């Protein structure tokens, strides 16, 4: 649902163009994945610049954690509005604007930073808003519009793109921080975001009808929907309807724990925690990159399984295994990569984003055409959990001198989320809210 009028006249849809050998849905999905990949690299930077920024300016872990928490909070809060804005203004415009915003935020952080509030403004606000607009809801919207078949698989691929970006950039960024300081690392990701923007403008299209094609796997041509005006109002209407269903609250709570156990603790605090045990930052960053390697395989496999098995059971299994891994991590951390630590890296990587395809599948089952917006609100809960643990993790390190209590607490939360996932039951689909 975009601002442009439907391509089809009122008498009926246009005759579809000749079906290309490679359906246009795949280049569109690849371009969306590229945008998600680049903005995903921004998630790795707090773990790399926390210590050097603290040493340069003398700020506490807690004050730096405020900026990281604001970033994660806005990353989540922007998700439902981004989905509605894509319905209003189109996917291409929203993604291009988001890439420009994250580039500006990173460049400002690298050039004019001198006070903690500036880190919160530039990194927390600007980068948080930009990355939130190209996060999970972008994948949900592209999948919803362009695919009928292979939705679970495509969801897994697009979800894994974020961590693939972390994996691709993390080793190089860690070396930049070690040898040249933290500022060149920020400039690097800003330039990468600027480089992707023209690709988005050239390749990404808002709807299959723009190219005269059916969605991939669809039996019939789908005309371009009418424009969805009042994006903000629609976002809250969808939330109000979703809040009346128990499934929304169960999914939101479970996804909040997901955020706490990934972005909140692992991607933000693993490198400082490993450094506390004598491990060099470059080695810890390499281990996180390996998490990303296994993450790609795990998320794609989760998407494939979601097309074939009950999503709630897959979700519960992911949380149960993640709980066991986090509870045993304090015993594995050491100055060098040990076999137990390498096992943790591999297994956690397989589970890191494996929760996304089943959650999105459940949203589609329950909320239909409103599922991208509902998923955006559930993603907000994901980032609320991430922001809270990112802040508390730094504070716990200041107070206890160790991250061990945080690993244990988050592991217990994952065990609770496994039980909540099993409590989700099929329900009658909630009617979609009107676009106007």
């Amino acid at each position: 649902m975009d601002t442009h009028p439907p391509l089809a006249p009122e008498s009926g849809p246009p005759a579809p163009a000749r079906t290309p050998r490679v359906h246009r849905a795949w280049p569109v999905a690849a371009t969306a994945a590229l945008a998600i990949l680049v903005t995903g690299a921004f998630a790795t930077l707090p773990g790399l610049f926390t210590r050097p920024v603290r040493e340069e300016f003398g700020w506490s872990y807690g004050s730096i954690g405020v900026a990281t928490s604001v970033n994660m909070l806005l990353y989540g809060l922007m998700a439902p509005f981004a989905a509605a804005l894509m319905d209003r203004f189109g996917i291409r415009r929203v993604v291009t604007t988001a890439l420009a915003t994250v580039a500006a935020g990173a460049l400002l952080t690298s050039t004019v930073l001198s006070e903690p509030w500036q880190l919160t403004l530039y990194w927390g606000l600007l980068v948080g808003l930009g990355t939130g607009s190209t996060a999970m809801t972008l994948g949900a919207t592209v999948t919803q519009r362009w695919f009928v078949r292979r939705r679970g698989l495509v969801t897994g691929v697009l979800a894994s793109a974020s961590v693939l970006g972390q994996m691709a950039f993390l080793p190089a960024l860690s070396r930049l921080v070690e040898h040249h300081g933290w500022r060149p690392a920020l400039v690097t990701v800003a330039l990468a975001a600027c480089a992707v923007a023209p690709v988005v403008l050239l390749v990404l299209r808002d709807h299959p009808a723009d190219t005269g094609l059916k969605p991939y796997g669809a039996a019939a041509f789908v005309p371009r929907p009418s424009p969805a005006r009042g994006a903000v109002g629609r976002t809250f209407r969808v939330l109000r309807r979703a809040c009346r269903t128990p499934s929304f609250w169960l999914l939101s709570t479970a996804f909040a724990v997901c955020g706490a156990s990934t972005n909140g603790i692992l991607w933000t605090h693993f490198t400082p925690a490993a450094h506390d045990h004598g491990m060099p930052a470059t080695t810890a960053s390499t281990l996180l990159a390996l998490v990303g390697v296994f993450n790609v395989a795990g998320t794609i496999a989760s998407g494939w399984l979601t097309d074939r098995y009950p999503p709630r059971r897959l979700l519960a299994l992911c949380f149960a295994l993640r709980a066991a891994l986090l509870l045993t991590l304090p015993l594995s951390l050491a100055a060098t990569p040990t076999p137990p630590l390498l096992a943790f890296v591999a297994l956690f990587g397989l589970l890191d984003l494996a929760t996304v395809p089943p959650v999105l599948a459940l949203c589609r089952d329950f909320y239909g055409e409103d599922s991208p917006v509902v998923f955006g609100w559930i993603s907000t809960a994901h980032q609320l959990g991430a922001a809270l643990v990112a802040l508390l993790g730094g504070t716990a390190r200041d107070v206890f001198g160790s991250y061990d209590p945080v690993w244990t607490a988050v592991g217990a939360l994952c065990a609770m989320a496994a039980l909540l996932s099993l409590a989700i039951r099929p329900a009658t689909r909630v009617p979609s809210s009107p676009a106007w």
Side-chain angles (χ1 to χ4, degrees):
M1 292 179 284
D2 300 88
T3 53
H4 308 290
L7 293 182
E10 292 183 359
S11 58
R18 180 177 62 88
T19 302
R21 185 170 298 176
V22 177
H23 196 285
R24 185 61 181 267
W26 295 108
V28 167
T31 303
L34 181 62
I36 296 170
L37 184 150
V38 169
T39 54
F42 286 76
T44 68
L45 286 169
L48 296 177
F49 69 56
T50 294
R51 185 174 293 274
V53 165
R54 181 176 183 272
E55 292 174 352
E56 179 175 342
F57 296 106
W59 302 339
S60 67
Y61 284 105
S63 62
I64 298 172
V66 169
T68 304
S69 297
V70 169
N71 177 287
M72 292 182 178
L73 180 62
L74 289 176
Y75 179 99
L77 285 174
M78 191 61 196
F81 296 97
L85 288 171
M86 289 175 193
D87 289 342
R88 178 69 176 87
F89 297 106
I91 301 173
R92 183 166 52 172
R93 293 180 184 178
V94 172
V95 174
T96 304
T97 302
L99 290 169
T101 303
V102 295
L107 289 174
L108 286 169
T109 302
S110 67
T111 55
V112 297
L113 188 65
S114 60
E115 298 290 338
W117 68 265
Q118 292 173 328
L119 182 63
T120 301
L121 176 63
Y122 303 140
W123 186 262
L125 179 64
L126 292 180
V127 176
L129 289 175
T131 53
S133 299
T134 56
M136 298 176 185
T137 49
L138 171 58
T141 303
V142 167
T143 306
Q144 182 80 8
R145 293 187 184 184
W146 281 89
F147 292 86
V148 173
R149 294 178 54 220
R150 311 286 187 183
R151 276 181 170 174
L153 178 63
V154 175
T155 299
V157 172
L158 292 177
S160 69
S162 177
V163 176
L164 181 61
Q166 299 170 24
M167 175 191 71
F169 281 87
L170 186 55
L173 293 176
S174 64
R175 291 188 181 91
L176 275 176
V177 172
E178 182 179 13
H179 297 292
H180 303 286
W182 57 275
R183 289 180 175 85
L186 270 67
V187 173
T188 298
V189 292
L191 294 177
C194 292
V196 170
V199 180
V200 170
L201 289 172
L202 289 172
V203 180
L204 197 61
R205 292 294 180 270
D206 296 328
H207 195 277
D210 292 349
T211 58
L213 294 173
K214 299 179 292 185
Y216 181 80
F221 182 84
V222 179
R224 186 180 181 124
S226 300
R229 297 180 179 177
V232 174
R234 176 172 175 250
T235 303
F236 285 108
R237 288 196 302 273
V238 171
L239 174 63
R240 185 169 60 250
R241 297 165 76 91
C243 283
R244 298 170 184 169
T245 62
S247 298
F248 175 79
W249 295 105
L250 291 171
L251 287 170
S252 296
T253 303
F255 224 38
V257 175
C258 178
S261 56
T262 53
N263 299 60
I265 185 65
L266 190 79
W267 291 102
T268 303
H269 293 294
F270 178 81
T271 297
H275 191 274
D276 287 344
H277 287 76
M279 181 179 292
T282 52
T283 302
S285 298
T286 301
L287 291 177
L288 282 180
L290 289 175
V291 170
V293 172
F294 288 98
N295 194 309
V296 174
T299 310
I300 294 174
S302 175
W304 183 85
L305 291 169
T306 299
D307 286 332
R308 291 160 174 79
Y309 298 99
R312 68 184 185 91
R313 295 183 182 178
L314 290 174
L315 194 61
L317 179 61
C318 288
F319 278 120
L321 294 175
R322 192 183 293 181
L325 290 172
L326 289 173
L327 289 171
T328 58
L329 178 60
L331 303 176
S332 304
L333 287 172
T336 58
T338 61
L341 185 57
L342 292 175
F344 169 87
V345 166
L347 293 173
F348 199 94
L350 292 173
L351 299 169
D352 191 5
L353 278 180
T355 56
V356 174
V359 168
L360 187 49
L362 290 167
C363 284
R364 289 196 198 100
D365 289 344
F366 297 150
Y367 306 107
E369 293 299 319
D370 284 337
S371 61
V373 179
V374 176
F375 183 68
W377 283 114
I378 292 172
S379 297
T380 300
H382 182 282
Q383 293 308 116
L384 284 171
L388 181 61
V389 172
L391 178 61
L392 292 179
T395 304
R397 172 61 178 79
D398 289 332
V399 173
F400 299 108
S402 171
Y403 285 103
D404 289 356
V406 184
W407 299 118
T408 302
V410 176
L413 287 175
C414 287
M416 178 197 71
L419 297 175
L420 292 177
S421 300
L422 291 175
I424 299 171
R425 289 290 185 272
T428 302
R429 174 174 288 190
V430 178
S432 298
S433 63
W436 292 86

